[in-house]
Amino acid sequence: MDPDILLEVKDLQTTFTTEDGVVNGCNGVSYSLKKGETLAVVGESGSGKSVTAMSILRLIPEPPGQIVRGQILFDGIDLTTASEKEMRKIRGKEIAMIFQEPMTSLNPVITVGRQIGESLKLHEPQLSSTKIKQRVIELLDLVGIPSAEQRCNEFPHQLSGGMKQRVMIAMALACSPRILIADEPTSALDVTIQAQILSLIKKLQQQLDMSVLMITHDLAVVAETADSVAVMYSGRIVEYGAVDEIFHQSKHPYLDGLKKSMPRLDIEQEELYTIAGMVPNPLDIPSGCPFRSRCPQEMACCQNEPPTIFFSDSHYARCWLYADGGHHD
Amino acid sequence: MTDQLVLKVEDLKVYFPVKKGLLKRTVGHVKAVDGVSFEIKQGETFGLVGESGCGKTTIGKAIVHLEPAFAGKIYYKEQEITNLSEAEMRPYRATTQMIFQDPYSSLNPRMTVANIIAEPIRFHRPDADVTAEITAYLEMAGLRKECMLRYPHEFSGGQRQRIGIARALACRPEIIIADEPVSALDVSIQSQIINLLKRLQRELGLSYLFIAHDLSVVKHISDRIGVMYLGCLMEVATTKELYNNPLHPYTQALFASVPIPDPRKRSAKVPLQGEIPSPLNVPPGCKFQTRCPYATELCRDRVPQLEQVGDGHLVACHHWNNLHKK
Amino acid sequence: MLRIVFLVNLFLLLLFAGQITTNADTLISYSIFAVITLILAAIILTLRRRNKTKERGIRTGWDLMWNKLRRNKSAMAGMWVVCGLCYVAILAPFIVPFDPYIMDWGALSLGPESHHWLGTDEMGRDTLSRAIYATRIAMGIGLMAVTLNSLIGTSLGLLAGYYGGNTDNFIMRLLEFWNSIPFILMAIALMAALGSGLFNLILVVSLTGILEFARIIRGDSQLLRQADYVNAAKVMGIPDRQILKRHILPNCLAPIIIMATLRIGETILTIAGLSFLGLGIQAPMPSLGSMLANGQQFLYENITMSIVPGTVILLIVLSFNLFGDGLRDALDSRITQ
């Protein structure tokens, strides 16, 4: 294994058993996160982008969820088979997570300072309470909360949405994790606040030498933050590459369509491009390429599992269009 | 687009009383909308952008009487409709319709699609051929007529939004107030709905009041845009003018904050520091002064008024002229 | 499943057709039973038609609720007992072994035996027949009282929740004032003022517990009032009356059904309690409460006289509560999904 690689997800399949049958949350997903890198997983709702992240921290409720196949390697440990005790050590301390809705992730009746302090105490029980207090204030300072000492004693509802997200980040960073998983961290925020939070995450990443796994539906956020990008559709990665390759040499028709259908500030557009149809029902995903029913370039061979075609060391797409170009896996 | 005005809002104020204590006495007001004026011509799209809590949704609701107006006037064509009673309002009800943000709460889960769309038809035009009209409106919104007997929960978000649009169209409106109609939808569905709204406007000559927080969407669909901050309009201009020549510091910051989906155009700097003040505690003078990088003593003392600075370009800033020269 | 029930119903209808007499009791029972059988047939037909036209994998809220309910064993047990009790109540005139009013002076205060399965009371009346008739009367009154109760409670709750403000204040304070009068005291006073009688009993019982009903419906309609589809209807100019009827009431149905189911058990218990005190159903009409009160005097001589009505009360209240609780769980989970 490449020594730079911190986390590697290999051929992960997570399923959910529902009353109507078994649904694939994600199916055969592989990616790796290097040290200090930001990997963005981008996809629409139901594409399985959050499921993969939740699988890494084993936060999938079992049942109905289940990791049926694949490995998640972190530090030589396979997280899919790790015991709950080992997972508790990793969660928060090694891999931390921030969520879209900061309000529901914070306990409304406990002060912000105590909530951050608690996660510190959990992982470093030897710290004295004055030390903890000091560290909490440092953390709040770090995430750019003004008059941190005072804010410590406030309750979550006294903070605005942006401030709450900052508190969430402070909580996540409490034990200096090596990986930060950010699940739609700015989707609930206003644009001006989104810009602040994104730049804060970038700044902290450099400062603390973290790797960030950014999960989002917004291609613009990806362009702004990511080094590498995995594009997901119906539980699979359809294209993977460095950010420049994804935005300037995209190969998969789905990614192409997605980029063309976005209204943009920097370009004049007459009519927006539309991807016909809808995301397939997770219970009834077509065989072969899941995108084929919406694809403008559908061919007969699309009914078969599409091949993985590499365009560079880091860039691949899973599509029959390129079966003759590129080189097979 | 013609020059006929279909909607005119004059100095509209919507205040919510803040009640405190055992006797629920009114101790103050949240000024959700604080003196907003604009007009919409026939066939035009007027976009309202702003961050959460700026009062853009409240304006939409006040126009259709879902919120009472505290002061100011609302005109439909020449008729003032601000304080009409429900009975007096009836002839104007069909003319202004609304499309909502959340496709899940905007349709009654206990009614079939046919009944949802039939409701306004039966009410406003009792003699109409209901089935034929339902089919026509479903088709207009891009749905097949087989949908009729199904219930809303059998549809995806995008399709539900289409049902909501068909319901609005069934009133044969002239004005549609679209309150964040695409912000709950996936990107690939967003563009379908935006294109649908544009097509309907062309075909039926509708006027839109398009309310959204997403600048790229508003820019794409609007002819003119109003930028709101804490209940006030900060700048109004045609889309082109606003984009090429934003004069208000807030508009400039807003544009600069929008991430561009191109990694080669990354910008490192954060355009605007600080947070939106609570509407309960609005700063004196210019409402933007607490976050404005150019704020001076004058901004803290006096409220800037919207002033005409070009053809149809209005801005509420004391220093626009100086900033512009820089 | 439903089809089997339907066939059994048809069979019973044919079986009892010969027993119809000019007696009003049997006529009413037979016609109610016939109507129920017809409704059952209609349900079977619509279900079958829907199964044919609908695509697989599409389910309504009711389907989901039924699936949840089916897996809840105690609720299903409750439901079957409730159904059984309904059958007994409706078909009472056809299935009683003896006339519950006829006194047999040769068989006073018997224990269980081959002729009178559950014995007789101190006047020689068959306890089983009286218990069956008492169930019929209790269920009938319970159902009527709860219907009246839910009608009043629902409409007050809807108005209070939808209009809010002063209307809300007025209705809710009035109900709270009403609720603050101790029930037994009020029942005694009302029965004394109105005179005893089945209709007055129903009225008195249905006036209790309106507050609980109204509160729940008020909360629901307060939430629904803010739903976008209600806003949409207002924007279209639809009058309030129609909004209440079409948009708010149908979406309150679930809590109404749950509340009503739970209240039937409670109401039957209340009626039994009133009858026990001599305020409810008057002799010689058989009632569970007065049978219990009666049996109390002969506790040492003939304990079956107390056990039978006690068990029936327990069975009714327990089964309605289990079923109602199951319904609530099933509907709640549908809402949170």
Side-chain angles (χ1 to χ4, degrees):
Chain A
M1 191 164 123
D2 188 336
D4 273 352
I5 289 177
L6 200 53
L7 178 84
E8 190 167 16
V9 177
K10 277 185 182 167
D11 198 24
L12 182 74
Q13 184 182 10
T14 305
T15 60
F16 292 91
T17 311
T18 68
E19 281 176 25
D20 300 304
V22 176
V23 171
N24 275 324
C26 60
N27 188 359
V29 168
S30 307
Y31 52 71
S32 52
L33 185 60
K34 293 197 190 83
K35 230 176 224 163
E37 181 196 43
T38 301
L39 171 67
V41 180
V42 60
E44 299 181 276
S45 51
S47 63
K49 56 189 192 299
S50 290
V51 174
T52 43
M54 301 291 260
S55 302
I56 292 172
L57 283 178
R58 290 260 301 279
L59 291 172
I60 301 279
E62 294 177 41
Q66 200 193 355
I67 297 172
V68 285
R69 188 157 53 92
Q71 283 179 310
I72 300 168
L73 295 173
F74 173 74
D75 243 4
I77 312 170
D78 183 0
L79 300 186
T80 56
T81 52
S83 69
E84 190 53 28
K85 205 173 143 201
E86 284 175 295
M87 281 315 294
R88 265 203 295 272
K89 270 191 208 145
I90 289 169
R91 274 184 217 137
K93 189 158 169 58
E94 305 283 350
I95 306 175
M97 189 158 179
I98 52 177
F99 299 91
Q100 173 177 5
E101 207 33 84
M103 195 58 213
T104 50
S105 321
L106 289 170
N107 186 336
V109 295
I110 300 178
T111 61
V112 168
R114 262 190 64 199
Q115 290 192 51
I116 302 173
E118 246 158 43
S119 61
L120 264 175
K121 218 186 285 178
L122 204 68
H123 292 289
E124 288 166 60
Q126 76 281 0
L127 283 179
S128 69
S129 57
T130 44
K131 260 274 172 53
I132 286 182
K133 182 109 196 271
Q134 200 188 331
R135 182 102 177 81
V136 167
I137 293 170
E138 275 173 33
L139 279 167
L140 289 178
D141 255 343
L142 186 71
V143 296
I145 292 182
S147 53
E149 221 153 322
Q150 208 182 317
R151 293 283 177 166
C152 256
N153 300 319
E154 287 189 358
F155 290 93
H157 66 90
Q158 288 167 294
L159 304 173
S160 68
M163 282 297 163
K164 271 181 243 158
Q165 197 55 284
R166 284 172 196 265
V167 169
M168 282 303 298
I169 295 173
M171 253 167 96
L173 297 182
C175 302
S176 351
R178 288 194 276 167
I179 298 174
L180 179 69
I181 300 178
D183 190 356
E184 305 265 9
T186 57
S187 308
L189 304 175
D190 285 316
V191 261
T192 58
I193 311 295
Q194 164 171 294
Q196 293 173 9
I197 297 289
L198 289 181
S199 102
L200 174 70
I201 293 178
K202 263 193 277 185
K203 190 191 90 189
L204 292 171
Q205 176 180 21
Q206 280 163 12
Q207 215 170 326
L208 307 172
D209 196 25
M210 277 187 308
S211 306
V212 175
L213 185 62
M214 175 79 71
I215 293 155
T216 179
H217 69 277
D218 190 343
L219 276 172
V221 170
V222 174
E224 199 75 15
T225 56
D227 301 316
S228 316
V229 184
V231 182
M232 288 189 72
Y233 185 80
S234 274
R236 297 161 204 227
I237 293 181
V238 292
E239 188 160 349
Y240 188 103
V243 67
D244 205 66
E245 290 166 331
I246 290 292
F247 281 91
H248 290 285
Q249 297 153 42
S250 60
K251 302 293 182 188
H252 201 281
Y254 170 62
L255 179 59
D256 272 341
L258 208 56
K259 285 193 327 202
K260 275 190 277 177
S261 63
M262 287 174 74
R264 292 178 65 159
L265 266 190
D266 54 337
I267 299 175
E268 284 300 323
Q269 295 150 294
E270 255 320 300
E271 180 96 345
L272 288 178
Y273 178 82
T274 56
I275 301 178
M278 294 175 297
V279 178
N281 181 348
L283 279 167
D284 191 23
I285 290 175
S287 64
C289 176
F291 185 61
R292 70 180 160 92
S293 58
R294 302 174 74 186
C295 185
Q297 286 148 292
E298 191 192 351
M299 300 178 287
C301 55
C302 291
Q303 290 173 19
N304 305 318
E305 198 61 35
T308 306
I309 315 282
F310 278 83
F311 303 98
S312 75
D313 283 349
S314 57
H315 186 194
Y316 70 78
R318 297 171 78 179
C319 182
W320 278 106
L321 274 181
Y322 306 99
D324 299 325
H327 46 276
H328 275 262
D329 183 16
Chain B
M1 213 197 302
T2 62
D3 276 342
Q4 199 201 355
L5 288 188
V6 285
L7 184 77
K8 190 165 153 197
V9 173
E10 247 180 42
D11 201 27
L12 179 71
K13 291 178 181 168
V14 183
Y15 291 1
F16 297 113
V18 181
K19 289 182 173 167
K20 264 202 179 134
L22 198 61
L23 294 171
K24 298 262 169 71
R25 266 210 309 243
T26 306
V27 293
H29 286 101
V30 173
K31 299 176 176 176
V33 179
D34 198 11
V36 166
S37 311
F38 61 87
E39 51 202 34
I40 301 178
K41 296 189 199 96
Q42 197 200 351
E44 184 190 39
T45 304
F46 183 70
L48 267 183
V49 274
E51 299 180 89
S52 53
C54 71
K56 54 193 192 297
T57 296
T58 314
I59 290 182
K61 286 190 166 175
I63 292 171
V64 292
H65 287 206
L66 286 175
E67 301 286 0
F70 183 82
K73 290 190 171 101
I74 302 164
Y75 295 93
Y76 163 73
K77 292 185 177 163
E78 268 82 54
Q79 171 70 35
E80 191 190 337
I81 55 165
T82 325
N83 290 312
L84 292 189
S85 72
E86 194 53 51
E88 293 167 321
M89 188 66 188
R90 235 182 111 172
Y92 306 105
R93 271 301 190 189
T95 60
T96 312
Q97 286 304 306
M98 203 159 174
I99 302 170
F100 298 87
Q101 170 176 14
D102 181 2
Y104 288 86
S105 102
S106 61
L107 304 175
N108 185 343
R110 296 253 181 267
M111 276 164 103
T112 59
V113 172
N115 279 332
I116 288 171
I117 297 169
E119 190 175 26
I121 301 175
R122 291 208 181 98
F123 183 72
H124 290 291
R125 302 186 294 281
D127 305 325
D129 177 357
V130 178
T131 325
E133 286 208 17
I134 294 172
T135 319
Y137 288 118
L138 279 176
E139 227 157 71
M140 244 185 240
L143 291 164
R144 285 174 305 143
K145 68 167 189 275
E146 285 77 33
C147 299
M148 279 214 268
L149 295 175
R150 299 214 189 152
Y151 286 89
H153 67 95
E154 299 170 34
F155 295 92
S156 67
Q159 286 173 310
R160 282 156 165 264
Q161 208 56 297
R162 286 175 192 269
I163 299 170
I165 291 171
R167 173 179 61 191
L169 291 179
C171 294
R172 297 193 179 155
E174 290 175 56
I175 308 163
I176 285 186
I177 296 170
D179 185 6
E180 305 259 12
V182 297
S183 48
L185 305 175
D186 276 323
V187 185
S188 70
I189 308 298
Q190 254 186 20
S191 60
Q192 294 177 3
I193 299 294
I194 294 174
N195 283 350
L196 172 68
L197 287 173
K198 284 191 110 174
R199 199 194 77 214
L200 290 172
Q201 180 167 46
R202 273 199 310 273
E203 285 170 8
L204 306 171
L206 296 169
S207 310
Y208 289 138
L209 173 60
F210 194 93
I211 300 165
H213 69 274
D214 188 334
L215 271 171
S216 344
V217 172
V218 174
K219 179 202 161 214
H220 183 79
I221 199 164
S222 307
D223 301 310
R224 286 189 306 132
I225 297 177
V227 180
M228 281 191 78
Y229 189 77
L230 278 178
C232 290
L233 273 174
M234 292 286 160
E235 188 163 4
V236 183
T238 59
T239 305
K240 230 186 194 145
E241 171 78 7
L242 192 76
Y243 182 67
N244 293 328
N245 186 21
L247 293 176
H248 199 285
Y250 179 60
T251 316
Q252 294 167 356
L254 211 53
F255 275 119
S257 299
V258 178
I260 303 295
D262 185 345
R264 291 178 189 170
K265 293 183 185 167
R266 262 185 211 184
S267 61
K269 65 176 202 305
V270 176
L272 201 53
Q273 294 297 339
E275 306 248 330
I276 309 161
S278 150
L280 269 170
N281 190 13
V282 175
C286 174
K287 292 186 172 178
F288 186 57
Q289 47 115 329
T290 51
R291 296 172 82 190
C292 183
Y294 314 109
T296 61
E297 205 53 48
L298 180 66
C299 303
R300 282 182 268 277
D301 287 345
R302 266 186 36 216
V303 182
Q305 300 299 322
L306 268 183
E307 53 182 307
Q308 187 97 19
V309 297
D311 183 26
H313 193 155
L314 304 161
V315 64
C317 178
H318 293 302
H319 303 300
W320 69 269
N321 213 3
N322 306 335
L323 297 175
H324 185 53
K325 277 172 198 151
K326 276 179 211 162
Chain C
M1 186 70 237
L2 273 174
R3 240 169 282 172
I4 297 172
V5 178
F6 176 68
L7 289 177
V8 171
N9 271 18
L10 269 186
F11 173 72
L12 289 175
L13 269 180
L14 289 174
L15 191 71
F16 295 136
Q19 294 183 34
I20 305 174
T21 55
T22 44
N23 184 340
D25 248 11
T26 52
L27 262 178
I28 292 170
S29 293
Y30 197 79
S31 40
I32 291 177
F33 195 63
V35 169
I36 288 180
T37 312
L38 277 179
I39 292 172
L40 210 63
I43 290 175
I44 291 172
L45 283 179
T46 47
L47 276 182
R48 188 187 280 177
R49 188 168 342 125
R50 219 192 55 185
N51 283 348
K52 256 187 209 155
T53 53
K54 285 239 168 168
E55 291 165 38
R56 203 193 70 87
I58 290 174
R59 320 152 117 237
T60 63
W62 296 112
D63 288 341
L64 280 174
M65 189 205 86
W66 173 239
N67 279 339
K68 281 259 152 56
L69 190 67
R70 207 160 47 180
R71 268 182 271 125
N72 185 343
K73 284 201 183 97
S74 57
M76 284 311 277
M79 194 189 83
W80 288 121
V81 176
V82 167
C83 287
L85 286 169
C86 288
Y87 269 85
V88 168
I90 294 168
L91 294 174
F94 301 108
I95 57 174
V96 285
F98 295 92
D99 187 323
Y101 294 98
I102 285 183
M103 297 171 237
D104 182 357
W105 298 108
L108 291 184
S109 198
L110 288 177
E113 46 126 52
S114 59
H115 201 50
H116 296 279
W117 289 354
L118 293 175
T120 56
D121 64 6
E122 82 283 5
M123 288 189 252
R125 297 177 293 196
D126 184 52
T127 308
L128 177 62
S129 308
R130 280 186 76 72
I132 288 174
Y133 256 84
T135 308
R136 172 186 171 88
I137 291 163
M139 301 260 288
I141 295 181
L143 205 67
M144 278 191 263
V146 168
T147 311
L148 203 61
N149 186 310
S150 21
L151 278 179
I152 303 172
T154 305
S155 30
L156 288 179
L158 277 182
L159 291 178
Y162 183 71
Y163 288 104
N166 287 335
T167 321
D168 181 28
N169 257 334
F170 177 73
I171 293 177
M172 293 320 281
R173 295 304 87 77
L174 197 74
L175 286 176
E176 274 156 22
F177 170 73
W178 181 251
N179 210 44
S180 65
I181 306 169
F183 168 64
I184 292 291
L185 205 69
M186 189 190 68
I188 293 173
L190 271 178
M191 293 303 278
L194 299 170
S196 56
L198 275 190
F199 180 73
N200 291 341
L201 183 69
I202 291 173
L203 197 70
V204 169
V205 174
S206 66
L207 285 178
T208 66
I210 289 178
L211 181 66
E212 284 92 337
F213 225 110
R215 255 192 204 142
I216 287 188
I217 302 306
R218 169 178 170 260
D220 270 33
S221 60
Q222 257 174 353
L223 280 181
L224 291 172
R225 178 178 71 172
Q226 293 155 11
D228 280 341
Y229 56 85
V230 173
N231 279 338
K234 280 186 195 162
V235 174
M236 293 186 296
I238 308 291
D240 285 348
R241 205 158 35 93
Q242 289 194 38
I243 292 180
L244 278 168
K245 195 179 83 186
R246 258 189 244 149
H247 296 286
I248 306 225
L249 183 63
N251 287 293
C252 288
L253 266 182
I256 294 175
I257 291 172
I258 296 165
M259 280 284 286
T261 315
L262 287 170
R263 284 206 58 85
I264 290 179
E266 240 172 89
T267 307
I268 290 174
L269 198 64
T270 311
I271 294 169
L274 285 177
S275 309
F276 187 86
L277 294 174
L279 290 167
I281 301 157
Q282 301 298 317
M285 202 178 261
S287 89
L288 295 168
S290 47
M291 281 171 77
L292 206 59
N294 207 13
Q296 192 190 231
Q297 301 165 34
F298 302 93
L299 211 53
Y300 292 103
E301 294 91 333
N302 187 357
I303 198 164
T304 40
M305 271 174 72
S306 311
I307 288 180
V308 173
T311 315
V312 174
I313 292 175
L314 185 79
L315 208 61
I316 294 176
V317 175
L318 192 70
S319 58
F320 271 106
N321 277 352
L322 285 178
F323 180 48
D325 275 341
L327 267 184
R328 177 163 52 204
D329 290 347
L331 284 167
D332 273 356
S333 57
R334 187 179 63 77
I335 290 158
T336 51
Q337 252 178 358

